[in-house]
Amino acid sequence: MMAQQSADSRRAGEKLHAERLQHVRLLQVLQSRNGDLRSKLNMSRADAARLTQETAQLRGDKAALQVELSEHQAAAEAEVLALPRRVSGRGKELELWDGDSAPTVVELQALANPPVYTDEHRQHA
């Protein structure tokens, strides 16, 4: 009976030892897989950070281009006015108001302050 119990005990110990070895191998496989997954996770986080930066840069570029486009559109839609004509100040007042445009500030100043020509100026000229 003792021999039987000893043999059963030895077989149970061997089974327990084999089971522990199997668990150790399983833990090694799981640890290896866990390490691979951590590596992939770190790579994915780095890619996500890089893509986030690129997205922010592209959004900034888009905003800058929209501002530039609106400036160009505003310039294209700007009203083009004809340049005022110059008058020597010797013309008649009616000539200033004739035509499509009103007199310029220079022309109005010439009307308000007509040049005074003296005989001296005429002799030198």
Side-chain angles (χ1 to χ4, degrees):
M1 179 79 137
M2 281 287 265
Q4 181 68 26
Q5 286 179 349
S6 177
D8 286 342
S9 185
R10 193 173 293 127
R11 272 186 255 130
E14 288 172 1
K15 281 184 180 180
L16 185 59
H17 182 69
E19 189 175 329
R20 284 184 182 166
L21 285 176
Q22 186 179 3
H23 286 185
V24 167
R25 281 188 240 125
L26 179 62
L27 281 175
Q28 290 172 343
V29 168
L30 290 176
Q31 286 174 341
S32 173
R33 177 136 190 223
N34 193 17
D36 291 343
L37 290 175
R38 279 187 184 161
S39 174
K40 287 180 182 179
L41 177 63
N42 289 336
M43 294 294 287
S44 295
R45 285 180 178 165
D47 287 343
R50 182 184 51 78
L51 290 173
T52 300
Q53 288 177 342
E54 188 176 332
T55 301
Q57 182 181 1
L58 289 173
R59 284 186 181 140
D61 291 347
K62 177 186 174 194
L65 288 173
Q66 285 175 332
V67 168
E68 189 176 335
L69 178 63
S70 66
E71 289 173 356
H72 285 293
Q73 287 176 341
E77 295 171 358
E79 184 179 352
V80 178
L81 301 174
L83 293 174
R85 59 193 165 126
R86 292 189 169 232
V87 175
S88 66
R90 297 181 187 170
K92 297 178 184 176
E93 289 182 35
L94 294 175
E95 290 176 9
L96 294 176
W97 295 99
D98 289 344
D100 295 336
S101 64
T104 64
V105 174
V106 174
E107 293 169 340
L108 291 175
Q109 284 179 343
L111 283 176
N113 302 315
V116 178
Y117 294 104
T118 61
D119 291 336
E120 237 178 76
H121 286 247
R122 290 184 185 186
Q123 288 174 2
H124 290 283

